Amino acid sequence: MPTLGERIKHLRELKGFSQKELSEKTNLTIVQLSRYETNHRKPDPDALCRLVTVLGTSADYLIGLTSNPIQNLNEQMSFTWIIPYTESF
C-alpha cells in the first residue's frame, strides 16, 4: 500500500505541479512538502486540509483509509437529514 508521502507526490505529479508550485498553493515550505513526500514528517491537520483541498482528494485517501483518490461527497452520503419546518410567530 502506498504511503502518505507517495500519495501526496503521486497526486502532485498528476496535477502537474512542481514541489514549488504546490508549496505556494498550500502555503507550505518546499522543505515541509519534501519531508512529507519522503515520509520523514507527517502533516499536521491544518497542512493536511490544505493538501486535500489543493490536490482535490480526501484525507481518507491520503492517510490510506481508502484507495479511491477522487473526492466525491455525493457518493459518500449514505443518508439525508430531514429537518422539519416549524413556523414560529
Side-chain angles (χ1 to χ4, degrees):
M1 174 167 37
T3 64
L4 180 138
E6 291 168 337
R7 288 172 184 238
I8 292 171
K9 182 178 180 181
H10 175 73
L11 289 175
R12 175 180 61 77
E13 290 173 343
L14 279 178
K15 294 275 186 181
F17 297 148
S18 66
Q19 280 187 336
K20 182 176 191 258
E21 290 169 323
L22 184 57
S23 72
E24 290 169 354
K25 291 178 182 296
T26 56
N27 199 29
L28 299 168
T29 67
I30 294 173
V31 172
Q32 284 175 293
L33 190 55
S34 176
R35 288 180 180 160
Y36 300 156
E37 288 187 0
T38 57
N39 296 300
H40 287 105
R41 302 277 292 189
K42 301 262 188 264
D44 63 35
D46 182 55
L48 186 64
C49 286
R50 288 185 269 162
L51 288 165
V52 161
T53 300
V54 172
L55 295 173
T57 192
S58 68
D60 285 352
Y61 173 73
L62 287 184
I63 63 175
L65 295 178
T66 181
S67 59
N68 183 1
I70 306 300
Q71 182 179 26
N72 188 340
L73 298 178
N74 291 332
E75 289 179 11
Q76 293 175 7
M77 299 294 285
S78 59
F79 57 88
T80 303
W81 287 96
I82 299 174
I83 302 171
Y85 173 76
T86 58
E87 201 172 317
S88 55
F89 291 95

